[in-house]
Amino acid sequence: MTTDRPAPTPDTPSGAAGGTDTDARSLGRVTIATLIAAASGYLVLLLAARHLGAIGYGVFAVFWAAYGLVTGAQNGQLQETTRAVRATSDGTVRSRPILVNVGIGVGLAALVAATSPLWSGEVFTDERWLSVALLAVGVASFAVYAHLCGALSGMLSWSSFAVLLSVDALIRLAGAVIAVAAGLGTTAFLIITVIGSVSWCLLLLGSSAARRAVGVGGDVPPRRLTANTLTAMAAAAASAVLVMGFPVLINLTANLRGTPDADEARLIGALILAVTLTRAPLLVPLNSFQGVLISRFVDRRDRRIAALIAPLGIVGVIGGVGIVAAWAVGPWLLRSIFGADFDLDGYVVALLTAGATCLALLTVTGAAAIAAGAHRWYAAGWWVATLVAVGMLLIPADVEVRTCVALVVGPLVGLGVHVVGVLRRPAA
């Protein structure tokens, strides 16, 4: 499946010569894999909407969101595994991250199953117990997937990482195409949601680098690795709330002021769509490059601020170009593609793009905090950003002003927390 150069074994340094895969071609594969993953996700949603109809799609979309929220928190496993594996470049192995990650995955699956009587009836209106079972199995499998992503990133085995990312997305897309062609219903799409996470099974069969990544070592003892991973997951949960759950926050805070009238409801719908569209160009690829960023920052942990300048600058420049473009053509694109109901002023679309840029900058500083071992500062930055954003949504102003201010101010405050945490950590 892949032809990576030799990767480090569990008993050799992760950064050893010959165990890396860092040329431009390999990182280009990660970029292509990111685009495949993003396009596949959108196509699955499109196929589901057209095939299932509004009612069936509603059932599927709720489960898709629930699975995304939990696995969004599990991205903390990927982040800490990347840091722990990359930091063993001195050859010191104190733990096996696979054991910690599998333990967390099984524990999370058991928690989902045990607590499901308390919440599943409110969340899953149809296919309730199948949804609970699939969610439990899915998060357990995703723990292994997250481990492999993190281990391969820490080993700088980007070709295998790119294959894993692509296969995960393409399995779901292939399943959706088969379900539509065979006339299958909602149940099939629920299974499709979680089935991609078994891509690690296929990778283990075809990649020797992936098989070595299963047992690769970490730089801290198991207890500390577990604590670090859980802290990273807590931060990733805040990230999932701020990124994936922000449309829900807009609705909730708007409803606190009373039921919106027809004009405000239309405006809220347009804002939610615009928030989603303005984020995708920056956040989708950046999230896939988390392992790349963390590995970079670990390798440069003696000059952390200098290492931050380049990625922050790149994100800032791309975001700046996006802000100008959003102001100039954003409203026209929204009206032309989605209809006259999705009408927003140019400054609103530009500020939403600025908010997406601030979230991207927060993601970069978060990777630096993880790499520096400042896990509590990392979690604090994301939670502070989320709480400040919620607070900004409650200020006395129009909904578009509240939304734009929340998306800019919240992440910038969280970014400041991350930078303080990075500066306070002594260089290893």
Side-chain angles (χ1 to χ4, degrees):
M1 182 174 292
T2 178
T3 56
D4 291 328
R5 290 187 290 273
T9 66
D11 300 312
T12 59
S14 299
T20 63
D21 188 9
T22 58
D23 56 40
R25 181 180 299 176
S26 297
L27 294 180
R29 292 191 186 107
V30 177
T31 303
I32 294 171
T34 299
L35 296 175
I36 291 172
S40 297
Y42 280 116
L43 286 173
V44 169
L45 295 177
L46 177 62
L47 289 170
R50 292 179 64 87
H51 179 66
L52 298 177
I55 296 176
Y57 180 77
V59 175
F60 160 72
V62 168
F63 182 75
W64 179 279
Y67 181 70
L69 192 62
V70 178
T71 56
Q74 287 182 275
N75 280 332
Q77 293 180 270
L78 184 160
Q79 294 161 352
E80 173 57 13
T81 300
T82 300
R83 187 212 61 78
V85 171
R86 192 68 199 141
T88 58
S89 56
D90 61 356
T92 302
V93 174
R94 296 187 176 92
S95 60
R96 299 295 174 190
I98 183 62
L99 301 179
V100 171
N101 285 320
V102 169
I104 290 174
V106 172
L108 191 57
L111 183 65
V112 167
T115 62
S116 60
L118 303 177
W119 52 265
S120 60
E122 301 296 328
V123 177
F124 304 131
T125 55
D126 293 306
E127 304 280 8
R128 176 183 177 185
W129 296 115
L130 174 64
S131 297
V132 170
L134 288 173
L135 184 60
V137 171
V139 298
S141 178
F142 190 86
V144 183
Y145 171 85
H147 168 80
L148 267 185
C149 283
L152 290 169
S153 297
M155 295 162 59
L156 306 185
S157 187
W158 301 120
S159 295
S160 288
F161 174 81
V163 171
L164 181 60
L165 193 64
S166 300
V167 171
D168 172 62
L170 291 175
I171 286 176
R172 289 191 182 89
L173 180 57
V177 171
I178 292 171
V180 171
L184 303 178
T186 305
T187 299
F189 276 87
L190 298 182
I191 296 171
I192 288 164
T193 301
V194 303
I195 200 171
S197 62
V198 303
S199 53
W200 56 268
C201 297
L202 299 178
L203 192 69
L204 289 180
L205 293 175
S207 170
S208 58
R211 290 191 290 273
R212 283 190 287 270
V214 170
V216 73
D219 69 323
V220 293
R223 181 174 295 182
R224 183 176 170 189
L225 181 63
T226 302
N228 286 350
T229 303
L230 293 175
T231 304
M233 290 175 66
S239 169
V241 170
L242 190 57
V243 175
M244 296 184 62
F246 195 78
V248 178
L249 296 178
I250 294 175
N251 265 331
L252 287 176
T253 53
N255 289 333
L256 290 176
R257 298 168 178 267
T259 303
D261 58 25
D263 287 340
E264 188 175 12
R266 180 203 62 78
L267 181 57
I268 290 172
L271 281 171
I272 289 174
L273 176 65
V275 166
T276 302
L277 294 177
T278 54
R279 285 176 170 184
L282 270 174
L283 292 181
V284 170
L286 192 58
N287 284 332
S288 296
F289 272 86
Q290 283 282 283
V292 178
L293 286 172
I294 293 172
S295 294
R296 169 190 170 87
F297 292 139
V298 170
D299 288 344
R300 294 164 174 80
R301 54 189 178 271
D302 57 337
R303 49 189 190 279
R304 293 172 186 151
I305 298 302
L308 262 172
I309 291 174
L312 287 178
I314 292 171
V315 170
V317 169
I318 295 174
V321 172
I323 291 168
V324 174
W327 192 310
V329 301
W332 172 78
L333 283 174
L334 284 172
R335 290 191 302 270
S336 300
I337 297 175
F338 298 100
D341 279 347
F342 297 92
D343 185 25
L344 294 173
D345 290 333
Y347 82 90
V348 174
V349 184
L351 286 175
L352 292 177
T353 306
T357 304
C358 292
L359 267 176
L361 294 172
L362 178 63
T363 301
V364 173
T365 57
I370 281 282
H375 292 77
R376 293 180 181 177
W377 287 94
Y378 169 62
W382 274 107
W383 279 108
V384 166
T386 301
L387 294 174
V388 170
V390 172
M392 295 298 101
L393 286 173
L394 297 173
I395 63 176
D398 293 336
V399 64
E400 64 266 41
V401 175
R402 300 197 306 267
T403 301
C404 293
V405 171
L407 283 174
V408 172
V409 175
L412 288 180
V413 175
L415 183 153
V417 173
H418 284 165
V419 172
V420 170
V422 170
L423 291 176
R424 286 174 61 92
R425 291 289 296 181

